[in-house]
Amino acid sequence: NIFGQVIRYDEGGYEGIAFNDVYSSLQWAGIKIVAQDSMMLTGIQTVFPPTSWSWDVNDYSVKIWEGWSQNKPLELLFQFSENVIWNPDSYRDGGWVFISLVGEQIYLNKGETYYIEINYNGEGGVYPFDKGIYSNSMSSNMSYFRGNSNESCSPLSSISSASNADWNIRAVV
C-alpha cells in the first residue's frame, strides 16, 4: 500500500511477547480506530509466531465493526476465518503478516469509530502485544479484549502484565 497509511498503536513493534490461548476471557483481541478521513480499509497487519517456536497459530477469525458504545462495538460490517499456511519455498515462516481486504470494499467514514478484532487459534502465546520494553511506547487505551462477541470489551491495560501494552494489530488504509 504505497499511498496509504498504517494505523497502529504498537510503537515498539513485535517484541516476542504474547498471551497464551487458554483464557476464556481473552478470545478476541482488538483495536479501536477513529477514521481521520473517509477511506477504504485495505488490510490488517498482525504477527504470527514462526513454526520453529513452541507457539503456533493454526487459524484465525477477524471481525470488523462500526460504532462503539459502552465498551462494545455496535454493527458487524464484515467477518471471515482463514487457516495459517506458511510457504517454506518462499522462506516465509512467522513474523508480520498482511491480510488483504482490498476486494471486500470496506469503506470507513470520517469521524466514525471502528473496531477490528482477531481470534487467534493455536498453541502457546498466540495473542501478540507490544509491552513497551524496547521503546518509550505508552498504552494508547485503544486495545481491548473479550471472551466472545456478545460481551463488552475490556481494555488491554486492565491486565497487570500488560498495563502499558497495545496489541500487535494494525489497520492499513
Side-chain angles (χ1 to χ4, degrees):
N1 190 357
I2 296 170
F3 301 107
Q5 74 180 70
V6 177
I7 301 170
R8 61 182 243 170
Y9 305 114
D10 59 337
E11 294 89 352
Y14 181 55
E15 300 171 337
I17 301 171
F19 286 114
N20 290 330
D21 189 19
V22 295
Y23 305 104
S24 62
S25 63
L26 196 171
Q27 290 299 306
W28 290 92
I31 61 167
K32 183 172 66 168
I33 64 171
V34 177
Q36 299 302 311
D37 204 349
S38 294
M39 60 191 89
M40 187 168 80
L41 179 63
T42 59
I44 299 168
Q45 293 177 332
T46 191
V47 177
F48 295 147
T51 57
S52 61
W53 290 15
S54 60
W55 301 349
D56 186 31
V57 175
N58 303 316
D59 60 89
Y60 62 94
S61 298
V62 173
K63 292 184 179 181
I64 301 166
W65 302 80
E66 181 177 20
W68 185 265
S69 178
Q70 299 178 5
N71 279 352
K72 192 171 182 181
L74 300 176
E75 181 184 345
L76 183 63
L77 295 178
F78 184 70
Q79 65 181 337
F80 67 96
S81 297
E82 293 287 335
N83 292 321
V84 176
I85 302 170
W86 292 116
N87 183 351
D89 295 331
S90 67
Y91 302 104
R92 187 74 173 106
D93 184 12
W96 284 100
V97 296
F98 175 75
I99 302 165
S100 179
L101 298 172
V102 172
E104 306 308 326
Q105 303 286 309
I106 301 170
Y107 292 97
L108 309 181
N109 298 311
K110 182 178 182 175
E112 293 293 323
T113 301
Y114 296 88
Y115 186 67
I116 300 166
E117 63 183 346
I118 303 176
N119 176 292
Y120 303 85
N121 294 301
E123 307 272 330
V126 299
Y127 288 91
F129 64 95
D130 166 25
K131 196 172 180 175
I133 293 174
Y134 305 112
S135 69
N136 290 328
S137 176
M138 299 295 292
S139 174
S140 67
N141 295 315
M142 298 294 263
S143 292
Y144 294 85
F145 68 94
R146 58 185 172 169
N148 66 58
S149 295
N150 298 322
E151 297 176 354
S152 293
C153 299
S154 297
L156 176 59
S157 60
S158 68
I159 300 173
S160 61
S161 62
S163 61
N164 194 33
D166 281 300
W167 294 120
N168 289 127
I169 299 173
R170 300 171 175 181
V172 181
V173 294

